[in-house]
Amino acid sequence: MNLVGYLQKATTYLERHGVASPRLDAELLLASLLGISRLDIYTGFERMLSESEAADYRELLVRRAQGWPLQYLTGETGFRGVRLEVRPGVFIPRPETEVLVESALEVLPEGEIDVIDLCCGCGNVAVSMAAERVGARVLAVDSEPIAVELTARNAEANGVGGRVRAVKGDLFGPLLTPGEDEARFHAVISNPPYVPSGCLESLPVEVRDHEPPTALFAGEDGLDVIRRIVDEAPRFLLPAGWLVLELDESHAEAVIELLRAGMSSGRAEWTESSVELIEDLTGRPRVARACLAR
């Protein structure tokens, strides 16, 4: 059986198991297995699979049918024009997070800037920002060692290893070195965990059973990590520095209230006109943004 024959059988199998895009997934899994492009499958369709290749392909298809995320099976994903390695144990970048990067880039000054990316995962935000803004230096922080490792690897693979530094730590923890001046940044950016802890069963099986809980859940209302970032960020921002946070649409007003509460209590001097919500392409609130007073 040639490659097209395998694709036809694979598509039918995935479709029968309720996979949303069976033909595309079958193509991507086969291309990844063979180290070729999707187009190469069709231009070289006469090729036969060896016994070991056929067995490996069947295993990939079974795992995909069981709910394994496609990106974990192929080992990579795309984000704003960069290719990123992903593995189990690290959150898979979503397209909507591109709005987070865009929301930061459009307000940050040109030239050299220092940015800290909290909860960096595989480094999609840090790497894409450094790739798109040649003067950007990004400190990427995550509590999971595998995330730190992948961010460093992805930065090197995309040619920005000299401007992205990945470190292990709890949010701003790596900056709190006794006896040293605290670093200040032009922007604090984060796509933090924001799923309420009681929502586990409502998540898709791909997320619930395979993606890391530490990248998903943030307390009873999903705001535990965001509260900490909003409270601590002003300490590490330069005057006129920006805080840019991804959020769930259900948290939009609550996050704006957190920002305004910091203003009213004197803990943070955000400029009133800068505190805003930014919508994604579907019209849902996706990012909260605020600028520290000069």
Side-chain angles (χ1 to χ4, degrees):
M1 185 165 51
N2 62 25
L3 296 187
V4 172
Y6 275 104
L7 271 184
Q8 290 170 342
K9 292 189 68 174
T11 300
T12 300
Y13 175 78
L14 293 179
E15 187 174 33
R16 191 167 66 245
H17 284 82
V19 174
S21 51
R23 181 72 177 198
L24 176 61
D25 286 15
E27 290 175 347
L28 290 171
L29 289 172
L30 184 58
S32 175
L33 173 68
L34 299 178
I36 61 177
S37 71
R38 289 167 60 203
L39 177 62
D40 290 337
I41 295 174
Y42 295 98
T43 58
F45 70 93
E46 304 94 342
R47 175 176 174 175
M48 310 292 285
L49 293 183
S50 67
E51 288 187 14
S52 62
E53 288 173 335
D56 289 343
Y57 190 40
R58 284 193 294 271
E59 176 62 22
L60 288 171
L61 292 168
V62 168
R63 294 172 78 185
R64 184 70 187 105
Q66 291 173 340
W68 276 81
L70 177 69
Q71 296 89 338
Y72 286 163
L73 297 176
T74 63
E76 66 172 11
T77 192
F79 185 84
R80 288 185 69 89
V82 299
R83 298 304 299 175
L84 302 162
E85 180 184 351
V86 290
R87 284 192 239 152
V90 173
F91 187 70
I92 298 168
R94 268 55 170 185
E96 54 266 29
T97 301
E98 296 191 9
V99 179
L100 176 71
V101 176
E102 187 65 36
S103 299
L105 289 174
E106 68 183 15
V107 295
L108 286 171
E110 296 294 334
E112 294 188 355
I113 55 173
D114 290 294
V115 175
I116 183 168
D117 171 25
L118 303 176
C119 311
C120 64
C122 70
N124 54 304
V125 171
V127 171
S128 62
M129 286 203 67
E132 294 180 49
R133 186 66 63 86
V134 295
R137 295 178 293 263
V138 187
L139 178 64
V141 182
D142 203 285
S143 60
E144 297 297 328
I146 186 175
V148 176
E149 176 192 344
L150 277 185
T151 294
R153 289 166 59 120
N154 284 326
E156 288 293 336
N158 285 280
V160 295
R163 292 186 290 114
V164 174
R165 183 164 69 94
V167 298
K168 181 180 180 298
D170 177 29
L171 300 183
F172 296 101
L175 305 179
L176 302 175
T177 303
E180 293 190 14
D181 293 337
E182 291 176 358
R184 296 291 185 96
F185 298 87
H186 294 88
V188 172
I189 302 174
S190 183
N191 175 19
Y194 52 68
V195 179
S197 54
C199 291
L200 174 64
E201 294 305 319
S202 67
L203 296 175
V205 64
E206 291 186 12
V207 178
R208 182 182 70 235
D209 291 351
H210 299 285
E211 296 203 59
T214 54
L216 297 171
F217 301 105
E220 187 174 344
D221 63 358
L223 289 171
D224 282 6
V225 179
I226 287 178
R227 283 192 188 91
R228 289 184 56 198
I229 294 174
V230 169
D231 187 55
E232 298 173 25
R235 177 178 174 182
F236 301 99
L237 281 171
L238 291 163
W242 287 87
L243 172 62
V244 190
L245 288 171
E246 182 169 329
L247 47 79
D248 182 78
E249 62 177 306
S250 65
H251 293 146
E253 292 306 320
V255 174
I256 293 297
E257 286 305 311
L258 286 173
L259 291 165
R260 290 182 174 147
M263 295 166 63
S264 62
S265 68
R267 296 195 311 274
E269 296 182 5
W270 308 112
T271 58
E272 181 68 37
S273 61
S274 73
V275 178
E276 62 178 331
L277 292 169
I278 297 155
E279 296 178 345
D280 60 22
L281 294 177
T282 67
R284 295 179 172 87
R286 179 60 56 186
V287 171
R289 188 170 67 185
C291 181
L292 201 65
R294 294 182 181 273

